[in-house]
Amino acid sequence: MQTDQLIADLAGQATRRRQELALPLWLAAVLAPLLAFAVFMPMLGPRANFVASLSTVRFDMKFVLAGLLAVAALAVLAALARPGRPVSSRMKWLAMPALVLLIAVGVELLVVPEAFWPARAIGRNAINCLIAIPTMGAPVLVLFLYALSRQAPTRPAMSGAVAGLAASGISAFFYAAHCSDDSPLFVAIWYPLATAILVAAGAFAGSRLLRW
Amino acid sequence: MQPASSSKLQGLDDLLRRALAGDEKAYRTFLTDAAIIVRRFAAQRMPRHSAGFDVEDLVQEILLAVHAKRHTWRPGEPVGPWLFAIARYKAIDAYRRRGKRIEIDIAGMGDVFEDPAGAPTAVAHDVSRAVASLGGRQRAVVSALSVEGKSISQTAEELDMSEGAVRVAFHRGLSAIARKFGRN
C-alpha cells in the first residue's frame, strides 16, 4: 500500500467515533479517591480517636503531605498523558510535598528531645504502612494506567512511575487516617518507602502496557 | 524552523480542528501535509544506510499513530509539538524494533538451513527468494502471513506491531515483490 492510499483510507474514517470505553484522566482522578476509600473502609477504617486527632498538627500534616503529593503527581501525569505537552515545568511541583516534609521533619527534630527520635521514627506500624499503602494504591494505579492507555504517553515508563506516585498519594491520604504514628520522622521514612514500591510497579507496568 | 514550514504548521491547526469535527476533506489535506513534514523528519533523523529500514514505512506508522491518537490533540493547542512528539516516539520505536528484528531474521534462516525436508522445491525456492528480497520488517510480515500462514493479529503480536502496521507492511511487501518478479 502506498502512503497516498493509506491517507485516503484514514481520511474516510474521519467521522468514525471510537466505540471503546473512554476514561478521561480527570474522571480517573475523581474516581481514584472513591476507589481507595472503598478498599480502605473494609480493610482498615479510621482509627478510634480519629475525630479528636483532627485537632493535632502532626495528624493533619499527614493529610496535607499526601494530598500535595497526589495533586502534584496528577498535574504531571496530565502533561505526560498527551504528546508534546511541556512536562519539565510541572515536574517542579513534585518538590512541594518533599519540601513541606523536610520542614516538618526539621521542626520535629527541634521540638522533640533526641532520646525519643528512634522511637518516633520506627513507630509501631512500619510494616503495616509498607503493606497497606501499596495494597490500597494498587487498584488506583491500575485505574490510572488504564486511563493513560487511552491517551498517548510518549514516555511510558516515566508515565507509569508518576501514576504510581499519584496512586501512592491518594492511598497514603486514607492510610494516614488509620495509622497511629503521626510523627514526621515516621512519615519521612516509611511513607516514601511504601511510595517507592508503587512507583517501581508503575514504571515496570508502564514500560510494558503503555506503549502504542 | 523556517518561516514556510511554521506557517504550514499553523494551517495544520485549522485543518485538524475541522477534521476532528468530521470534515473528511480537511482531514485528507491535514494527513497529506503532515505526511510531507513527517517524511522530511524521518529522512533526517533515521540512519539512512541501515539495511531493512524504509522511511516510507516509518511515515505510514506515524500517520497511523496520528490517526489512532488524534483525540489527544485539543483545539487551541499548536499541532506542531504534538505531531513532532508522536513522530519522535514512533521513530525511536521503529529504531528499537529494528534491533529486535535482526534476531528474528537469523532465527528464521536457521529454520531454513536445518529443515529436514531436504532440498527445497523450485516453488519454495522462488518464494523464499522473493521474500528474501524484501527489507527487514516487510520480510518478517510477508513471511509470517504468506509462508508460515499466521494470522494478522498473531503476527502483530509477535512482531510487536499494530495490526494496521502489519497490513501496511504486508501490502507494501507484496507490491515490492510484484515490481521485482512479476510479469517480466
Side-chain angles (χ1 to χ4, degrees):
Chain A
M1 197 194 290
Q2 299 306 312
T3 304
D4 293 345
Q5 177 75 52
L6 177 71
I7 288 173
D9 287 356
L10 296 181
Q13 298 173 29
T15 51
R16 190 180 293 176
R17 284 277 137 233
R18 310 199 109 199
Q19 295 300 310
E20 62 195 45
L21 180 63
L23 177 69
L25 208 53
W26 65 265
L27 185 57
V30 170
L31 291 177
L34 302 177
L35 183 61
F37 184 71
V39 180
F40 170 71
M41 284 313 282
M43 192 174 100
L44 299 171
R47 67 199 212 192
N49 59 349
F50 173 77
V51 177
S53 309
L54 284 174
S55 57
T56 66
V57 180
R58 286 192 181 85
F59 187 63
D60 295 346
M61 185 53 84
K62 296 198 292 184
F63 298 103
V64 171
L65 285 166
L68 273 177
L69 177 64
V71 169
L74 281 171
V76 176
L77 203 56
L80 282 167
R82 297 187 298 126
R85 303 305 299 160
V87 172
S88 52
S89 57
R90 290 199 182 183
M91 264 323 177
K92 291 171 198 148
W93 293 22
L94 292 176
M96 270 275 270
L99 204 65
V100 175
L101 179 60
L102 271 181
I103 293 169
V105 167
V107 172
E108 180 81 345
L109 291 178
L110 284 178
V111 299
V112 174
E114 202 174 331
F116 293 109
W117 289 356
R120 293 258 178 146
I122 289 159
R124 281 171 298 174
N125 295 289
I127 301 302
N128 283 346
C129 174
L130 287 184
I131 294 169
I133 290 180
T135 305
M136 277 194 294
V140 177
L141 175 59
V142 170
L143 180 73
F144 285 150
L145 289 175
Y146 177 77
L148 278 175
S149 70
R150 307 293 103 180
Q151 302 290 314
T154 52
R155 292 152 85 179
M158 167 78 84
S159 303
V162 175
L165 209 53
S168 170
I170 289 166
S171 176
F173 189 89
F174 290 101
Y175 177 73
H178 170 82
C179 182
S180 59
D181 288 304
D182 295 346
S183 170
L185 300 183
F186 180 90
V187 174
I189 292 172
W190 303 106
Y191 280 57
L193 276 177
T195 298
I197 295 172
L198 282 170
V199 169
F204 181 77
S207 67
R208 268 135 221 273
L209 304 177
L210 294 180
R211 305 187 51 182
W212 46 279
Chain B
M1 185 145 306
Q2 284 127 23
S5 47
S6 73
S7 73
K8 185 156 220 164
L9 284 174
Q10 273 166 24
L12 285 181
D13 290 10
D14 188 46
L15 285 172
L16 185 53
R17 194 178 61 242
R18 278 156 54 197
L20 288 178
D23 184 340
E24 234 181 274
K25 212 166 145 247
Y27 194 34
R28 182 189 293 253
T29 315
F30 167 79
L31 288 171
T32 308
D33 289 354
I36 294 166
I37 294 169
V38 157
R39 187 174 294 119
R40 203 183 309 147
F41 166 88
Q44 281 170 2
R45 295 296 176 88
M46 295 308 288
R48 217 156 306 179
H49 307 293
S50 49
F53 180 75
D54 187 334
V55 168
E56 214 51 31
D57 269 353
L58 177 56
V59 169
Q60 296 190 358
E61 260 182 56
I62 294 169
L63 291 180
L64 282 165
V66 163
H67 176 73
K69 298 293 186 182
R70 63 195 191 279
H71 62 283
T72 64
W73 177 77
R74 289 194 194 148
E77 290 171 1
V79 165
W82 179 80
L83 181 61
F84 281 117
I86 291 177
R88 186 171 170 275
Y89 176 72
K90 279 290 156 188
I92 293 170
D93 198 40
Y95 190 68
R96 282 189 188 144
R97 246 193 339 243
R98 205 167 53 82
K100 262 189 214 164
R101 226 177 19 251
I102 292 165
E103 295 170 14
I104 293 168
D105 287 351
I106 291 170
M109 279 165 74
D111 290 344
V112 171
F113 289 133
E114 289 158 20
D115 189 357
T121 64
V123 173
H125 175 71
D126 285 346
V127 169
S128 58
R129 194 164 64 99
V131 172
S133 74
L134 294 172
R137 146 118 27 142
Q138 287 175 11
R139 186 196 302 178
V141 168
V142 170
S143 149
L145 288 179
S146 24
V147 182
E148 294 159 49
K150 288 176 182 159
S151 72
I152 284 184
S153 57
Q154 196 185 355
T155 307
E157 196 170 301
E158 284 178 9
L159 298 179
D160 194 17
M161 296 164 72
S162 69
E163 293 193 15
V166 167
R167 280 197 192 90
V168 168
F170 183 57
H171 287 293
R172 287 175 58 81
L174 288 189
S175 45
I177 289 177
R179 272 200 305 278
K180 258 176 231 157
F181 298 96
R183 297 187 203 96
N184 50 5

